[in-house]
Amino acid sequence: MNRKLVVIGAGMASGRMLEHLFEAAPGQWDVTLFNAEPRGNYNRLMLSPVLSGDKTYDQIVTHDDAWYAAHGVTCRFGESVTAIDRDAQVVHGANGPVPYDALVIATGSAPFIIPVPGKDLPGVCTYRDLEDTNAMIEASRPGAKAVVIGGGLLGLEAAAGMAARGADVTVIHLMGHLMERQLDPAAGYLLQKDLEARGIRVHCQGVTKAILGTDRVEAVLLEDGTVYPADLVCMAVGIRPETRLANDAGLEVARGITVDDQMQTSDPAILALGECVEHDGQLFGLVAPLYDQARVLAATLAGQEAVFRPVQTATKLKVTGCDLFSAGDFTDAPGREDIVFRDPGRGIYKRLVLEGDRLVGAVMYGDTADGAWFFDKIRKGADITPDRDTLIFGPAFAGGAQADPLAAVAALPPEAEICGCNGVCKGQITAAITGGATTLDAVRGLTKASASCGTCTGLVEQVMALTLGDGFAANANPPMCKCTDHTHEDVRRLIKSMGLKSIPAVMQDLGWRTVGGCASCRPALNYYLIADWPAEYRDDRQSRFVNERNHANIQKDGTYSVVPRMWGGVTSAAELRAIADAADRYAVPMIKVTGGQRIDLLGVRKEDLPAIWADFNDAGMVSGHAYAKGLRTVKTCVGEQFCRFGTQDSTGLGIRLEKLLWGSWTPAKVKLGVSGCPRNCAEATCKDIGIVCVDSGFQISVAGAAGMDVRETVPLLTVPDADAVCDVVAAFVQLYRENARYLHRIYKWVDKVGLDWCRDQVADPAIRGALVARFAESQSIYQTDPWADHAARPAEWAPVADLTLRAAE
Amino acid sequence: MSMIDIAALDDIPRQGARVVRTPLGCVAVFRTADDHVFALDDRCPHKGGPLSEGIVHGAQVTCPLHGWVFDMATGSAQGADDGRVVTYAVRSENGRVLLDAAALSGRRAA
Ligand SMILES: Cc1cc2nc3c(=O)[nH]c(=O)nc-3n(C[C@H](O)[C@H](O)[C@H](O)COP(=O)(O)OP(=O)(O)OC[C@H]3O[C@@H](n4cnc5c(N)ncnc54)[C@H](O)[C@@H]3O)c2cc1C
Ligand code: SF4
Ligand code: SF4
Ligand code: FES
């Protein structure tokens, strides 16, 4: 008599398993196949082409009624198995029990639902089966609004499919870049760009707070307050092995149903495969290893020897036009090395990860033609030493191909602006060159490009090099750091003209040679992005030097100094008392009066910082930014209020300027001084910006220094009233913020661009007004007290664990 | 090797570090952009700078005091600088960070 086999779940894995079984042991098993879905086996992977309209359901069915009939399979589709009785060897379905000699659990996995309010509203779906797919097709009328929560493989295929049907789709992703499990930030950035190009909005670092709606979904609310209207919400945040039946039956279950190398569970009569199992601590989410499981399980049932060994898997996204490939392991780990190739012009990124003489991982975007070749090397563990130098160019390597440092400039469209001062675009420069201008001066003369502040000179030269070929030898300007060939000035200009709004975007589109930059370029890029896109870019704390990251100056023994702001150097008895109290409470070893007219508490322990800040906040004081590349102090004299020589209220003006400028980030530190008369008690003429009051008004001078270099300021403008002082100073600071290179103090920058150019800018009422407006926009975002932010989360400042407490064990 | 659970992975910022206090001094536990973890003595061999406060790039960290760069996997200084930081076994598992306790119990041979 035939033995009875019951299979729970007609999915990708069990379908393949049955094919192998009927081949290996024809006519030996009477099979009953249960499926909760009201249909038989179909190709789940192909739901995405069904969603996008490229295929129909009929085209993706893998086993039809004729096949089940030919193999004598009793189909119980649309019927969930509700219990397994292991003692009686019977499974219970809604329509009655079925006895088994052998049982196969192939229940796949269940989509994870994030427990937010509104998750059960009509119009919220997941992406797992045909019902979900049809719900999305139904909802994707042109113009309908869909929100996909989750920017992994499934979420993006759902998003692309709905967008292809005309829906207006937003993807909300928790992490910093899309598909973070398969892609590194650079590839994630390129993917995001391609999706955005097809109209899909991508919101990274978005935490879903609630799904809103009364009778059905209306919108999705994020923690940061953003609201996206939605007619449909698809949750694609991950999957969980479907183990409920196995759990209830008392089988051994870890995260998935535990199986051995023969796919046997803890009960010898029960086997399991697919996404519901865990083998050797590993779960499965792609079909390749499941097919191997299917072969092994069928062999086990047929009484043959077989052993399951998980193979490496590679990922591809099934969205036309988004060419990505990821395989193996590409995390940074001991002894690993990277080979990176970027071709910004064609949007290509390739990264190979080597461990010793073997290739262990590969991530590619834009050109994945060689993916299979690399994957093969990864799987075989092939020794790559012989072709290591040329490996990244793939099998077709024909010798000598080199990453081209001019590629980013070559890729710029003719309308890209090269010279910001004079609004000259690339096309005009190319035209001038082809029209006969073969020297920089000639190009300057014809187009005015680089004729003003000169920071775009490097780019103009690169356009010349591209247009003239070898006939042009550019001035060698040093590159920003070893990660790139571009100078600071080029990078600043390209960030603007190419609209680059994140560090990965800059690194990709400008062809960075390293994976995550270095300690020299990261803080610079972070600053440039803050300065150029104040509203869109978000400060990256981890790209800041320690002092700015911790909002306090680190001392050589690892303690910190704390300096509260004292507006214009003026304090009060209450503030002094609060400072004295804090010094006592935190046993501050030294209290020092600084050169900037305020008080420094030195030697504070890192874990005490949030508490001391909170105390100062309570006393009405905010951070003095004594650590910042930003506004430090405005030093003042007592002025006309008390001094017999005073001509104006220098103290009041200093306070006003400090309140205007504090909190702004600048390329390097900025210090001001305001003196009430030319006797200059506030030493205003060796500051970055100095103001000297005279009877007729205010003399504003700039570019002083009193550090390693000592410089006297040079006159910028003289203005009649305090309002004008504030406008000129704000405009000048903004000009500096937008144009200087990172770490250049004002005097160095003015040396480069020339005082006359600066004066022309801030003296012109229209330009000055625009600069003031841009400064105000930035301040509306960045003028916040960092102490208040951080004091609220003190735990982050203490050690994460203390093992000295366990030492006694 | 006995690994002990010291923190959640998310307690450590990406491209950042947190400090663990041990009988042998502070240990810096780093997390890279792609979620790999490393553990090193939190003392720069140059002049004792706290490496946990450095900028993390790829699998390297730059000391905040004078800019020496260390390979976090081996602990050795890169480029022209000569020095090595002690490293400890650490791994992340199911969102938790596990650190080698035996090496840190104070009984390590000097
Ligand atoms: C849209 C989409 C696209 C995908 N794209 C890819 C891809 O490109 N590449 C790739 O490798 N993988 C892809 N996957 C993943 C792949 O589809 C899964 O890994 C695979 O389907 C898992 O196979 P399985 O047999 O374990 O589970 P499933 O195929 O999910 O089958 C399990 C079946 O069991 C049924 N079931 C569950 N509980 C019971 C019960 N109690 N009683 C009866 N029946 C039950 C379910 O209804 C289901 O039909 C994709 C998945 C989806 C959803
Ligand atoms: S600068 Fe002039 S106004 Fe100010 S304190 Fe000195 S003498 Fe008095
Ligand atoms: S002058 Fe030199 S030693 Fe003194 S505080 Fe400044 S940097 Fe330190
Ligand atoms: S202490 Fe680390 S580089 Fe000097």
Side-chain angles (χ1 to χ4, degrees), chain A residues 690-711:
Chain A
I691 291 121
V692 174
C693 306
V694 290
D695 281 324
S696 59
F698 303 83
Q699 297 170 340
I700 305 172
S701 61
V702 296
M708 282 201 272
D709 289 323
V710 180
R711 294 281 195 94

Short mmCIF file of all heavy atoms in Angstrom, two decimals, chain A residues 690-711:
data_model
loop_
_atom_site.label_atom_id
_atom_site.label_comp_id
_atom_site.label_asym_id
_atom_site.label_seq_id
_atom_site.Cartn_x
_atom_site.Cartn_y
_atom_site.Cartn_z
N GLY A 690 35.55 93.08 12.85
CA GLY A 690 35.65 94.06 13.93
C GLY A 690 34.81 95.28 13.62
O GLY A 690 34.70 95.70 12.46
N ILE A 691 34.20 95.83 14.66
CA ILE A 691 33.41 97.05 14.46
C ILE A 691 33.93 98.10 15.41
O ILE A 691 34.08 97.85 16.61
CB ILE A 691 31.92 96.80 14.72
CG1 ILE A 691 31.37 95.91 13.59
CG2 ILE A 691 31.12 98.10 14.72
CD1 ILE A 691 30.79 94.67 14.01
N VAL A 692 34.25 99.25 14.86
CA VAL A 692 34.70 100.36 15.69
C VAL A 692 33.69 101.49 15.53
O VAL A 692 33.41 101.93 14.41
CB VAL A 692 36.12 100.82 15.30
CG1 VAL A 692 36.51 102.06 16.08
CG2 VAL A 692 37.13 99.69 15.54
N CYS A 693 33.14 101.92 16.68
CA CYS A 693 32.13 102.96 16.63
C CYS A 693 32.82 104.34 16.53
O CYS A 693 33.83 104.57 17.19
CB CYS A 693 31.28 102.95 17.90
SG CYS A 693 30.53 101.34 18.23
N VAL A 694 32.27 105.19 15.70
CA VAL A 694 32.74 106.57 15.62
C VAL A 694 31.51 107.46 15.69
O VAL A 694 30.38 106.98 15.59
CB VAL A 694 33.54 106.83 14.32
CG1 VAL A 694 34.88 106.11 14.38
CG2 VAL A 694 32.76 106.38 13.10
N ASP A 695 31.72 108.76 15.84
CA ASP A 695 30.57 109.66 16.00
C ASP A 695 29.58 109.54 14.84
O ASP A 695 28.37 109.54 15.04
CB ASP A 695 31.05 111.10 16.10
CG ASP A 695 31.56 111.37 17.51
OD1 ASP A 695 30.96 110.82 18.46
OD2 ASP A 695 32.57 112.07 17.65
N SER A 696 30.13 109.37 13.61
CA SER A 696 29.25 109.38 12.45
C SER A 696 28.65 108.02 12.15
O SER A 696 27.87 107.89 11.23
CB SER A 696 30.04 109.86 11.25
OG SER A 696 31.13 108.97 11.05
N GLY A 697 29.07 106.96 12.86
CA GLY A 697 28.52 105.66 12.53
C GLY A 697 29.41 104.52 12.97
O GLY A 697 29.98 104.56 14.06
N PHE A 698 29.55 103.53 12.08
CA PHE A 698 30.25 102.31 12.45
C PHE A 698 31.21 101.88 11.34
O PHE A 698 30.79 101.73 10.20
CB PHE A 698 29.24 101.18 12.69
CG PHE A 698 28.21 101.52 13.74
CD1 PHE A 698 27.07 102.27 13.42
CD2 PHE A 698 28.38 101.11 15.06
CE1 PHE A 698 26.13 102.58 14.39
CE2 PHE A 698 27.44 101.42 16.03
CZ PHE A 698 26.31 102.16 15.71
N GLN A 699 32.48 101.68 11.72
CA GLN A 699 33.45 101.18 10.74
C GLN A 699 33.53 99.66 10.87
O GLN A 699 33.91 99.14 11.91
CB GLN A 699 34.83 101.78 11.01
CG GLN A 699 34.85 103.29 10.87
CD GLN A 699 36.15 103.89 11.37
OE1 GLN A 699 36.89 103.27 12.16
NE2 GLN A 699 36.43 105.10 10.92
N ILE A 700 33.18 99.01 9.77
CA ILE A 700 33.25 97.54 9.79
C ILE A 700 34.52 97.12 9.06
O ILE A 700 34.74 97.50 7.91
CB ILE A 700 32.04 96.92 9.06
CG1 ILE A 700 30.75 97.45 9.68
CG2 ILE A 700 32.09 95.39 9.13
CD1 ILE A 700 29.50 97.06 8.91
N SER A 701 35.37 96.35 9.74
CA SER A 701 36.56 95.85 9.08
C SER A 701 36.64 94.34 9.29
O SER A 701 36.03 93.81 10.21
CB SER A 701 37.81 96.55 9.61
OG SER A 701 37.94 96.29 10.99
N VAL A 702 37.34 93.67 8.39
CA VAL A 702 37.32 92.21 8.41
C VAL A 702 38.72 91.63 8.21
O VAL A 702 39.66 92.35 7.88
CB VAL A 702 36.40 91.65 7.30
CG1 VAL A 702 34.96 92.06 7.51
CG2 VAL A 702 36.89 92.08 5.92
N ALA A 703 38.80 90.32 8.40
CA ALA A 703 40.00 89.54 8.05
C ALA A 703 41.17 89.78 8.99
O ALA A 703 42.33 89.74 8.59
CB ALA A 703 40.40 89.77 6.59
N GLY A 704 40.89 90.03 10.25
CA GLY A 704 41.96 90.10 11.24
C GLY A 704 42.28 88.71 11.75
O GLY A 704 41.57 87.75 11.47
N ALA A 705 43.35 88.60 12.49
CA ALA A 705 43.70 87.31 13.09
C ALA A 705 44.64 87.55 14.24
O ALA A 705 45.45 88.49 14.21
CB ALA A 705 44.37 86.39 12.06
N ALA A 706 44.52 86.74 15.28
CA ALA A 706 45.46 86.80 16.38
C ALA A 706 45.74 85.40 16.86
O ALA A 706 45.53 85.05 18.00
CB ALA A 706 44.91 87.67 17.50
N GLY A 707 46.17 84.57 15.93
CA GLY A 707 46.51 83.20 16.26
C GLY A 707 47.94 82.96 15.82
O GLY A 707 48.83 83.76 16.13
N MET A 708 48.15 81.87 15.08
CA MET A 708 49.50 81.62 14.59
C MET A 708 49.92 82.72 13.63
O MET A 708 51.08 83.08 13.57
CB MET A 708 49.56 80.26 13.94
CG MET A 708 49.62 79.18 15.01
SD MET A 708 50.27 77.64 14.45
CE MET A 708 48.84 76.82 13.86
N ASP A 709 48.94 83.24 12.88
CA ASP A 709 49.19 84.45 12.11
C ASP A 709 48.56 85.61 12.86
O ASP A 709 47.52 85.45 13.49
CB ASP A 709 48.48 84.37 10.74
CG ASP A 709 49.17 83.37 9.83
OD1 ASP A 709 50.42 83.30 9.90
OD2 ASP A 709 48.46 82.66 9.10
N VAL A 710 49.21 86.78 12.80
CA VAL A 710 48.61 87.97 13.40
C VAL A 710 48.37 88.96 12.28
O VAL A 710 49.25 89.25 11.48
CB VAL A 710 49.53 88.58 14.46
CG1 VAL A 710 48.89 89.82 15.06
CG2 VAL A 710 49.83 87.56 15.55
N ARG A 711 47.13 89.43 12.19
CA ARG A 711 46.75 90.34 11.10
C ARG A 711 45.88 91.45 11.66
O ARG A 711 45.04 91.21 12.52
CB ARG A 711 45.89 89.59 10.08
CG ARG A 711 46.54 88.51 9.32
CD ARG A 711 47.39 89.09 8.19
NE ARG A 711 47.72 88.01 7.28
CZ ARG A 711 47.02 87.74 6.19
NH1 ARG A 711 45.98 88.45 5.87
NH2 ARG A 711 47.38 86.74 5.41
#
